[in-house]
Amino acid sequence: TPGIRYLIFQACERSGVVPSVPLVHPSASVSPSAALGPGATVNRLVGIGANTRVRDFVTLNRNCSIGHDSEIDQFATIGPGAVLTGNVKVGRGAFVGAGAVLLPGISVGDNSTVGAGSAVRTDVAPFSVVAGNPASVLREESHGYGGYLVPTDG
């Protein structure tokens, strides 16, 4: 989960072991104008569109597609087969489930969870859990995904 990955990052940082480059599978397709932060993991058959920014320690799972002009903030996770169409923003520590589809211009707030197979057509507030087609709010949390908060102060 993003929260556990953040705790691991903190432990590595304390010991002076922090990745300085992204890890990109050879079968991934990354636009030359995309920017990948250190520690980002891009798995097999991932597609990343033009002018997209993938920040530090993001995980992009297999077969997901990130459209043009999108931004994925630190410690976020995009599940297998998820589709983020153009100009999508995913907040720090957010989790997008397998096969979810986020329509153009959508913002997913910090520490939010989008359920697998969901179709998101409106913005998702921070600390929210949404699912369904169309996605609707199931609950709002104050403690982040799985009880582990990824701080939003940078």
Side-chain angles (χ1 to χ4, degrees):
T1 68
I4 292 172
R5 199 165 56 249
Y6 178 75
L7 294 175
I8 293 168
F9 162 75
Q10 284 183 313
C12 290
E13 188 175 51
R14 282 191 300 272
S15 65
V17 181
V18 179
S20 60
V21 297
L23 303 173
V24 180
H25 192 277
S27 68
S29 175
V30 180
S31 169
S33 63
L36 303 177
T41 304
V42 180
N43 287 289
R44 68 182 179 88
L45 301 174
V46 168
I48 300 175
N51 302 314
T52 292
R53 187 172 190 169
V54 176
R55 297 203 179 218
D56 308 355
F57 304 99
V58 166
T59 298
L60 303 178
N61 283 292
R62 64 182 169 77
N63 297 325
C64 72
S65 175
I66 313 300
H68 65 88
D69 299 298
S70 294
E71 185 170 336
I72 304 173
D73 210 346
Q74 294 176 313
F75 302 101
T77 298
I78 309 300
V83 177
L84 282 61
T85 57
N87 197 33
V88 170
K89 307 245 182 297
V90 177
R92 185 175 166 103
F95 182 91
V96 177
V101 176
L102 281 65
L103 296 180
I106 294 298
S107 291
V108 175
D110 293 342
N111 292 294
S112 291
T113 302
V114 175
S118 297
V120 182
R121 52 186 205 177
T122 60
D123 290 346
V124 177
F127 302 100
S128 296
V129 177
V130 301
N133 185 359
S136 59
V137 176
L138 300 180
R139 68 179 179 270
E140 294 181 8
E141 299 181 333
S142 60
H143 55 276
Y145 178 80
Y148 296 98
L149 174 69
V150 175
T152 57
D153 59 0

